[in-house]
Amino acid sequence: MSSEHAHEDAPPLTEEIAPGTAADPAVGGTERATVTVDGTPVTVEAGATLLDAVEAVDTDEYVPALCSYDRQEIGPRSECRTCMVETEAEGIVPACSHPAEDGMSVSTDAEAAAQARDVNLDLVLSNHNLRCTTCGKNGRCELQDASIEQEVEEPRYGVLDERDEYEPLDDTSSFIQIDRNKCILCNRCVEACNDVQVEGVLRMEGSGQDTRIGFQSDAETMEDSTCVSCGHCATVCPTGSLVEKGIEDATTIPIPGFTQKNSVGKAIESSGETKGPMTPKKRDTDRREDPDAAASTPNAPSADDVATDGWAGFEGGEWP
Amino acid sequence: MTSIIAADGTTIRISGTGPPSDLLAVARESDVRAVAVGSTGVPALEPLVTVTNGGETAVHTDCSTAELDTVVASVSGGSDIRAAEPDAVVEHDPGTATLPPVDLPGLDVGRRRVLGAAGWRRPTDAADHEAAGGFDAPETTAVLDAGADLRGRGWGDLCQDEPLAPTWETTRDADGDPTVVVNAHGNPTDALLLASAPFDVLEGATAAAEAVGADGVIVYASTADERAVETVRAAAANYPDPPVAIDVVTGPAEHRAAEPTMALEAIEGNHRLEARIRPPGPESVGLHGQPTLVHTPRTLANLAVALREGEADTRTVTVEGDVAAPATVELAASDTLSTAVDAVDVDGEFKAACVGGRFGGLTADLDVAVGPAALSAADLGTEGVVQVLADDRCVLEFVGQRTQFAADENCGRCVPCREGTTQLAELLRDIYDGTYAPADIRELVRVMDGSSICAFGVEAGRPARTAVAEFEAELQAHADGDCPTDSCPQPAEVT
């Protein structure tokens, strides 16, 4: 949910906020509806999604709905797609962001939906540092809970286990530590920061495998960002990606030297400089795009290339 | 300005993808009427000079200034248009408003309807378009009737392969002020239409706008398609008494920026493009939260021509890849892919084609009709772009590159696309190491197809899926350490 259209009466400050996310429509049903979930009729209020109905009954199969938060106007982001269910009318749909409409019939144990939830959860794990024993969220991690409940034993695509592929920990802030190797890109922190706290610090940035949580001020580290240390991002984070300092090793195995920091191996440390109280964020860039920047897009095929060579402008990715 | 359609005397048309300033200067040294028109869609023949007198047109392909000098001297000296040794001569109705079929490769296939203006009418000249029957505002009921039959063209169209009318109804009934977005991003035919036949596109867009009660049309194109953008801007400025406001905006050249909801994000000015979730789709909540139609120029030009000429369903196909020069042709829906590929010179022996754009399906069989039903039944794409692979192309390398492209270029929003494309590329790389797991590939592609947010992720796995279905032996050979085309690195060298 973007800050752009969600609150028309919001203070002018929000116009400056650039979370980097799409301006999603409101997704709930338009009126009170009765939906059948695995044969059980459920009545939900206006504004409800299919997930509200699914969560109201004891379903045939587990629906992780990992990235869903659905409180404080955060979400649905509908990114992890581990809430896929089958509907009679529309095939498989994401329950968390599909409006609950009267008369819909939903099944959780349909083969295509179950396969999609299972594969998508494994895909989340494929890009996750699964070193739970050195993680401060061990035992209170929503990804861990979902994986246990889904009975994941060996994720089909493995886990993010190449140490040289790890991003360094951002340990620069005195209050919040960032481990992007555990981020599932659920966007809850970005929405908490922008839509709830209206601080405009965090944003979604990049694309493809480079998609990451960054800072609207273009800062490289939490310390250099305009963060006011409210802690809301750490509160909503489903994994050990954003944790409060002081408890980042709260649940690691109590063996000397067995820490979150050395499990990742690389960390950006605090500069040690004292930092004054953060004023509302100062921004250098605007959400509006600079037309010149668009013109210099790296992948732009030139018109000449396209006209002369049948392959130019149709290049593939680097291979193998 | 007066129209050049059915004009008295001799008319020289200069057609090409670039500005024809040199040739135009030569032609204008004489007293013969000479004009610049847009590309025909067959750049191999261009610059293409046509000399028309009454019901006869002489065609000079790949015309140099020296050759044009001779032509001009011959014509202004009173000689017959055949005297200057043209490459072809065609007889036609003296009042024809569309480029007549010429016996030259690329211009001799199909029937030019939506491409009719390309290479024949001045792109930004309203009089030429009016002489072709344009600007005749249709009744709303006629537009709605046409929309019931017409299907959206291309992945940039909100109604890809679906009839337009149900979506129009949703937009008309939705709360708010509707807008029509013309999504010309990323498809060669769409760029060609903006550069060569923009009035047909704008006329279709205004008709759709009237049908849904929209008060504005926004033409959206890639910054890379400069000529298209310039031309449609000029055409919009020359549009006589436009029933709605027409704006032209550009977005970044990235492939994903053509996806309809990412197009809206680009138009709104977001610095980062990602897909929006739906439902509700843009037809109810779109640009700035208002109901929005998103149609491609192909769809809208088809609408305009259908309204002028009555029903006639054609498909445009651009053939690229291992060909001497790409070409865009217009075919009946029942014509086959081989008709399209026959319009170009293949470099080497034909081996396969990737049908349907970047994430099209691979096939060695071109005996498939170009209409959407036949293409879908064959698990091929309907984007209207066919990439030819000659016999020295390795299928594994090709699908590997396409899949890696998807992994690099996706918006990063949803897991099945962001992580799925990466894992799919890994499954394909594993083949070099001897592990070919077709069931795993099929499973992953099925989930990407079924659970991605937008068409990017839905279609990204198609090259791999169709390669597994159609070229299993070639993939298996790689797993056994052999590339049948000898174009891959030795398996042992790849770690």
Side-chain angles (χ1 to χ4, degrees):
Chain A
M1 180 75 49
S2 160
S3 52
E4 256 22 62
H5 306 303
H7 323 279
E8 282 179 3
D9 54 350
L13 179 61
T14 55
E15 288 174 12
E16 294 286 293
I17 288 180
T21 48
D24 284 335
V27 296
T30 48
E31 49 199 41
R32 188 180 159 92
T34 299
V35 176
T36 307
V37 181
D38 290 339
T40 309
V42 187
T43 300
V44 291
E45 297 304 316
T49 64
L50 287 181
L51 186 60
D52 295 316
V54 165
E55 287 180 340
V57 300
D58 190 11
T59 54
D60 289 347
E61 291 223 10
Y62 174 56
V63 178
L66 176 63
C67 73
S68 169
Y69 189 69
D70 204 20
R71 274 167 276 168
Q72 301 163 330
E73 299 181 45
I74 293 176
R77 174 72 174 162
S78 202
E79 66 99 20
C80 75
R81 313 301 259 194
T82 64
C83 64
M84 302 303 291
V85 294
E86 184 149 297
T87 60
E88 269 180 3
E90 296 169 67
I92 64 171
V93 300
C96 79
S97 61
H98 199 285
E101 281 154 8
D102 209 38
M104 287 186 82
S105 181
V106 167
S107 134
T108 61
D109 66 351
E111 190 261 341
Q115 181 187 49
R117 295 192 302 266
D118 197 43
V119 166
N120 284 332
L121 184 59
D122 275 2
L123 285 171
V124 172
L125 291 167
S126 75
N127 198 16
H128 185 82
N129 168 347
L130 211 63
R131 295 172 188 272
C132 298
T133 52
T134 53
C135 181
K137 292 288 278 291
N138 193 6
R140 52 193 186 103
C141 167
E142 294 177 35
L143 178 57
Q144 194 179 47
D145 291 346
S147 303
I148 292 168
E149 185 84 12
Q150 183 74 13
E151 298 175 0
V152 176
E153 289 187 4
E154 200 172 328
R156 33 165 102 53
Y157 310 110
V159 297
L160 178 58
D161 199 32
E162 295 289 335
R163 276 172 166 272
D164 54 6
E165 286 179 16
Y166 285 170
E167 264 205 71
L169 283 186
D170 182 346
D171 201 30
T172 58
S173 157
S174 309
F175 301 100
I176 296 159
Q177 185 193 67
I178 309 179
D179 180 356
R180 292 190 173 83
N181 306 298
K182 291 174 180 159
C183 179
I184 65 166
L185 296 169
C186 68
N187 202 51
R188 289 183 200 174
C189 57
V190 174
E191 287 174 55
C193 185
N194 294 294
D195 297 343
V196 184
Q197 300 295 335
V198 201
E199 290 298 341
V201 178
L202 296 176
R203 71 175 177 198
M204 189 68 77
E205 61 184 27
S207 57
Q209 285 296 303
D210 300 327
T211 312
R212 71 201 284 272
I213 303 299
F215 303 104
Q216 290 177 37
S217 62
D218 288 329
E220 290 295 320
T221 62
M222 197 66 157
E223 180 183 33
D224 290 338
S225 78
T226 52
C227 174
V228 298
S229 307
C230 74
H232 205 146
C233 55
T235 303
V236 299
C237 183
T239 69
S241 196
L242 286 159
V243 293
E244 290 167 51
K245 290 283 287 179
I247 56 171
E248 68 268 36
D249 279 315
T251 49
T252 58
I253 290 182
I255 298 174
F258 218 66
T259 66
Q260 148 78 341
K261 198 180 276 189
N262 68 15
S263 79
V264 172
K266 292 166 284 190
I268 305 169
E269 303 289 350
S270 166
S271 67
E273 289 167 20
T274 48
K275 199 175 165 192
M278 283 325 290
T279 49
K281 90 190 173 64
K282 314 157 192 130
R283 29 180 315 110
D284 298 327
T285 54
D286 191 74
R287 184 175 189 265
R288 295 276 142 194
E289 190 163 1
D290 175 1
D292 295 335
S296 65
T297 306
N299 297 305
S302 85
D304 299 346
D305 289 348
V306 176
T308 53
D309 179 349
W311 288 88
F314 245 95
E315 73 287 349
E318 201 171 308
W319 187 260
Chain B
M1 262 198 274
T2 48
S3 163
I4 56 168
I5 305 300
D8 289 337
T10 306
T11 303
I12 295 180
R13 291 174 169 86
I14 302 167
S15 162
T17 49
S21 46
D22 290 358
L23 291 167
L24 207 53
V26 168
R28 284 187 175 159
E29 280 167 17
S30 74
D31 53 358
V32 182
R33 184 189 310 110
V35 297
V37 293
S39 170
T40 56
V42 189
L45 303 176
E46 294 169 357
L48 184 84
V49 169
T50 60
V51 186
T52 303
N53 195 330
E56 206 173 46
T57 293
V59 182
H60 301 262
T61 64
D62 196 15
C63 190
S64 63
T65 48
E67 186 182 350
L68 183 57
D69 228 4
T70 315
V71 172
V72 169
S74 165
V75 174
S76 55
S79 297
D80 184 73
I81 60 166
R82 294 169 189 259
E85 297 180 10
D87 297 294
V89 177
V90 53
E91 290 180 10
H92 52 80
D93 169 7
T96 184
T98 62
L99 178 67
V102 185
D103 191 16
L104 290 167
L107 296 180
D108 58 349
V109 289
R111 189 183 146 215
R112 298 172 74 91
R113 294 175 61 254
V114 303
L115 294 179
W120 195 251
R121 307 202 285 264
R122 287 168 293 181
T124 62
D125 188 284
D128 288 5
H129 184 67
E130 195 170 3
F135 304 126
D136 188 14
E139 296 290 327
T140 302
T141 49
V143 181
L144 294 174
D145 284 348
D149 295 329
L150 189 63
R151 290 167 191 269
R153 260 74 167 171
W155 84 296
D157 198 294
L158 205 53
C159 306
Q160 182 178 13
D161 302 335
E162 299 295 328
L164 311 182
T167 302
W168 288 357
E169 257 170 56
T170 306
T171 299
R172 209 177 46 220
D173 296 344
D175 294 333
D177 304 319
T179 301
V180 174
V181 167
V182 181
N183 182 8
H185 194 293
N187 179 280
T189 304
D190 288 335
L192 175 68
L193 287 171
L194 290 197
S196 293
F199 284 123
D200 288 302
V201 177
L202 297 177
E203 190 172 291
T206 54
E210 298 259 41
V212 298
D215 53 10
V217 166
I218 295 177
V219 181
Y220 164 76
S222 162
T223 53
D225 290 326
E226 285 171 31
R227 186 124 194 258
V229 172
E230 278 168 27
T231 312
V232 76
R233 271 212 177 102
N238 291 347
Y239 201 102
D241 303 320
V244 296
I246 303 171
D247 283 314
V248 179
V249 299
T250 59
E254 274 96 337
H255 178 68
R256 67 174 175 280
E259 193 277 329
T261 65
M262 285 191 252
L264 299 182
E265 288 287 315
I267 295 168
E268 288 184 12
N270 200 337
H271 67 275
R272 179 174 174 274
L273 298 188
E274 64 174 28
R276 293 179 184 175
I277 52 177
R278 70 207 90 158
E283 64 277 16
S284 357
V285 184
L287 192 66
H288 301 298
Q290 303 302 311
T292 306
L293 292 180
V294 184
H295 291 309
T296 59
R298 283 167 286 167
T299 305
L300 295 167
N302 262 291
L303 175 63
V305 174
L307 288 169
R308 282 207 300 273
E309 300 178 4
E311 188 187 358
D313 199 22
T314 59
R315 313 294 299 191
T316 55
V317 180
T318 302
V319 186
E320 309 194 331
D322 290 326
V323 299
T328 300
V329 296
E330 184 171 356
L331 304 173
S334 55
D335 286 339
T336 61
L337 291 169
S338 56
T339 312
V341 173
D342 284 346
V344 297
D345 262 347
V346 177
D347 283 338
E349 195 78 21
F350 173 87
K351 173 181 179 173
C354 178
V355 179
R358 275 181 209 253
F359 303 139
L362 282 163
T363 181
D365 176 15
L366 294 178
D367 191 22
V368 179
V370 295
L375 289 174
S376 300
D379 199 9
L380 303 175
T382 57
E383 178 58 17
V385 177
V386 174
Q387 184 93 350
V388 171
L389 278 68
D391 57 357
D392 57 351
R393 291 274 173 193
C394 171
V395 164
L396 176 56
E397 183 187 24
F398 181 81
V399 297
Q401 286 172 340
R402 286 294 152 97
T403 307
Q404 187 59 45
F405 175 86
D408 294 339
E409 293 298 322
N410 69 75
C411 79
R413 178 162 185 171
C414 72
V415 164
C417 183
R418 181 183 71 232
E419 310 297 345
T421 52
T422 299
Q423 294 305 325
L424 183 59
E426 289 304 316
L427 289 173
L428 294 170
R429 279 195 185 87
D430 289 345
I431 297 175
Y432 292 116
D433 293 335
T435 307
Y436 171 50
D440 293 356
I441 293 172
R442 277 194 291 267
E443 176 191 62
L444 178 53
V445 172
R446 183 183 183 208
V447 171
M448 289 164 60
D449 180 348
S451 64
S452 291
I453 288 181
C454 79
F456 188 110
V458 168
E459 298 185 357
R462 184 162 49 202
R465 177 178 67 216
T466 50
V468 167
E470 297 292 321
F471 296 92
E472 180 125 43
E474 187 165 342
L475 300 186
Q476 185 61 53
H478 283 84
D480 299 337
D482 177 39
C483 171
T485 55
D486 287 328
S487 60
C488 281
Q490 287 303 304
E493 293 170 20
V494 180
T495 52

